[in-house]
Amino acid sequence: MAETRANRPAPYDSGSRPGPVAETPAGPGADVPRGPVAGTDLHLELSGGGSLRNRLMNALREAVRSGRLAPGTRLPPYRGLAHDLGIARNTVAAAYAELVEEGWLTARRGSGTQVAPRAAVRPARAHGPRRRTTRRVLHDLMPTSPDAAAFPRTAWLASARRAVVAAPNDAFGVGDPRGRPELREALAEYLARARGVRAEPDRIVVCSGFAHGLRLLGGLLKGPVAVESYGLAFHRGILEETGRSTVPLPVDPHGARVGDLPGTGAEAVLLTPAHQFPTGGPLHPERRAAVVDWARASGGLVVEDDYDGEFRYDRQPVGAVQGLDPDRVVYIGSAGKSLSPALRTGWMVLPGWLVDDVVAAKGAREMWAGVVDQLTLADFVAHGSYDRHLRHMRRRYRGRRDLLVRTLAARAPHIGVSGIAAGLHAVLELPEGTEEAALRAARRQGLALEGLGAYRHPDSAMPPRDGLVIGYGTPPEHAFAAALEALCLALPAPP
């Protein structure tokens, strides 16, 4: 060869000076960096036989070939990788240089050494039946999330800064499973003022959301749990995973028929009294009093899911059932609908006799809700930012609801709309036997939504209702009109 490997130009190495690239074994007197070295971390195992340089080259080739190092990934400088692997810098430089020549890597001054751009390897087509193509979702009308674009980033960031600066040092130690006292104090004031909840901070336990709270309670109960005949299968599944069977309570325009509770043998009942999910409407005042009377007489427990009680449009605020008897009602709320499900922050307002059991079930250390988010939410509530955000979003969601109602009145007047006085969803009442066809038509239009049938308890004795559950919180503002246009095209024609 006219040019020896030792004389080849080495790739540029940011942070280290190019030097001779002849291989040098690691050992006493070898050019091995000492002390901590700044740079990019890269895990490599130099297994197999051969020289250190060849083993390093094989490890790098395999990392690139397998996709673990993607095209454009910047590799550590010679000195940093040599220090991490315990080998000579010149050995790394030589390996880099050869892999540059082979086309595995590229080296440019100022950019360091990177994985070369390579054509993506297409995975081999699996033998067997072809998978059905999944239709692309163009419009999300699922009633599961608020408008992500409306998250109050500026106000949240201001609260985060204030909260972190003001936090005591113990806030950054092992977390208290009850939750940060700052958040529990802020929630006690807010829930009393805005939702009619009667609670002291010592009776509030922070959790990661309603599902987490329900799982904690399910593990403490012993008998069956009564649930609304229309509700989330996910919640029924959580109870069943904890060993609790569920008994359906019929639902009508006044909410769950809680008068049926004595005959169910249930130890607890799960309700959405502020806005029944998914059929809509609050629990009638007489039934609110009746369910508390049942709990007192039977020693039972009412679990109140206040999932979107803050959003109301055409009615006076409906207070929490918990306010009627704090010793028989567990109130569970979260920031999932009011702010964002990404926060994973919720709260349980518990009867005093249940607090220690729930804390013990949660565990000795906080493993669920991040402390910084708790501190931030506490500041967000205490400074009035939460109230301002809710008022803003109430106006915004009401505008969407009104547009939904107007559009249906103009384009599909034969379709009834219910459950629209509060919350983030509406129910479109369909002619009998048309729900499945409407769902298929919706999928063809690129709509993500569900029918009432998806929420019906499998043991319910009530005749099934045909309808579509339409969430109007998720679509971004600019896309909502197009989503409604697609929805109208999916609805059944008038009889």
Side-chain angles (χ1 to χ4, degrees):
M1 294 175 62
E3 180 184 29
T4 65
R5 186 169 295 143
N7 294 327
R8 290 176 185 158
Y12 292 113
D13 181 37
S14 60
S16 62
R17 177 175 52 85
V21 294
E23 182 176 355
T24 307
D31 181 20
V32 180
R34 306 294 179 189
V37 178
T40 304
D41 288 338
L42 175 61
H43 174 74
L44 293 172
E45 293 185 5
L46 307 187
S47 56
S51 66
L52 283 171
R53 186 189 70 234
N54 285 338
R55 286 154 60 190
L56 175 57
M57 290 169 59
N58 289 336
L60 286 167
R61 288 192 193 99
E62 180 57 30
V64 174
R65 188 184 295 115
S66 67
R68 190 164 68 85
L69 293 180
T73 300
R74 185 168 180 172
L75 300 184
Y78 309 149
R79 186 166 178 261
L81 186 57
H83 176 273
D84 290 344
L85 297 177
I87 62 178
R89 187 186 70 182
N90 288 350
T91 301
V92 178
Y96 277 14
E98 187 148 343
L99 291 175
V100 167
E101 287 199 0
E102 292 179 4
W104 292 93
L105 307 177
T106 62
R108 301 170 63 181
R109 187 177 297 278
S111 299
T113 306
Q114 300 178 358
V115 177
R118 301 175 68 86
V121 179
R122 295 190 179 188
R125 178 175 293 179
H127 296 288
R130 295 180 62 184
R131 297 177 62 186
R132 186 173 66 177
T133 303
T134 302
R135 293 184 182 273
R136 186 162 66 98
V137 173
L138 301 177
H139 306 290
D140 186 355
L141 293 179
M142 297 289 287
T144 53
S145 298
D147 183 356
F151 184 79
R153 303 177 191 222
T154 301
W156 186 261
L157 181 59
S159 284
R161 286 173 173 161
R162 284 193 299 264
V164 170
V165 169
N169 292 336
D170 71 338
F172 303 100
V174 176
D176 184 340
R178 295 174 299 173
R180 286 299 304 174
E182 297 90 342
L183 178 56
R184 290 187 284 119
E185 290 168 7
L187 287 172
E189 185 279 331
Y190 169 77
L191 293 173
R193 170 172 52 82
R195 303 296 302 127
V197 171
R198 294 159 57 191
E200 298 80 35
D202 288 346
R203 292 171 65 168
I204 296 177
V205 173
V206 175
C207 54
S208 67
F210 180 83
H212 182 207
L214 185 62
R215 191 178 300 277
L216 293 172
L217 288 175
L220 299 174
L221 299 173
K222 299 193 180 343
V225 178
V227 297
E228 295 158 330
S229 59
Y230 280 90
L232 284 171
F234 174 55
H235 291 166
R236 297 194 295 266
I238 289 174
L239 290 169
E240 289 162 5
E241 287 171 7
T242 63
R244 309 279 69 78
S245 61
T246 59
V247 183
L249 289 177
V251 172
D252 61 27
H254 297 298
R257 296 181 189 170
V258 297
D260 294 354
L261 276 169
T264 63
E267 178 181 337
V269 58
L270 170 61
L271 298 174
T272 52
H275 185 228
Q276 203 285 322
F277 185 87
T279 62
L283 187 65
H284 192 275
E286 291 183 2
R287 294 185 182 181
R288 293 160 68 89
V291 75
V292 170
D293 289 341
W294 166 83
R296 289 170 177 166
S298 66
L301 197 65
V302 179
V303 182
E304 180 174 11
D305 179 5
D306 195 29
Y307 74 99
D308 65 357
E310 298 92 350
F311 299 115
R312 60 189 183 277
Y313 312 117
D314 303 324
R315 71 179 193 204
Q316 293 298 313
V318 177
V321 172
Q322 190 268 1
L324 299 178
D325 192 338
D327 289 328
R328 302 307 328 168
V329 182
V330 174
Y331 176 95
I332 308 181
S334 82
K337 292 290 191 296
S338 57
L339 284 168
S340 168
L343 294 179
R344 307 306 309 143
T345 304
W347 43 88
M348 308 172 70
V349 183
L350 298 161
W353 55 269
L354 196 52
V355 172
D356 289 344
D357 289 340
V358 169
V359 172
K362 192 179 179 190
R365 298 187 177 189
E366 176 57 75
M367 298 168 53
W368 306 94
V371 166
V372 173
D373 280 345
Q374 291 185 55
L375 293 170
T376 303
L377 181 58
D379 181 276
F380 197 76
V381 172
H383 279 78
S385 300
Y386 192 55
D387 286 276
R388 287 189 291 273
H389 175 71
L390 289 175
R391 287 196 297 271
H392 170 70
M393 296 310 299
R394 203 175 291 141
R395 292 191 297 269
R396 192 164 177 170
Y397 290 141
R398 177 172 184 162
R400 294 189 186 189
R401 184 212 62 171
D402 292 348
L403 180 58
L404 168 65
V405 172
R406 289 197 305 271
T407 301
L408 291 172
R411 298 284 303 278
H414 59 291
I415 301 296
V417 186
S418 61
I420 59 174
L424 299 179
H425 76 277
V427 175
L428 274 55
E429 306 287 348
L430 299 180
E432 184 177 353
T434 62
E435 182 177 304
E436 286 301 320
L439 288 171
R440 290 193 296 270
R443 286 192 288 269
R444 289 194 294 271
Q445 294 294 329
L447 289 163
L449 50 79
E450 286 185 333
L452 275 174
Y455 300 96
R456 186 172 181 269
H457 195 292
D459 298 332
S460 175
M462 294 185 66
R465 295 169 52 187
D466 285 79
L468 299 178
V469 183
I470 305 300
Y472 47 82
T474 303
E477 206 75 20
H478 68 275
F480 188 58
L484 294 183
E485 175 67 22
L487 173 64
C488 289
L489 294 175
L491 295 176

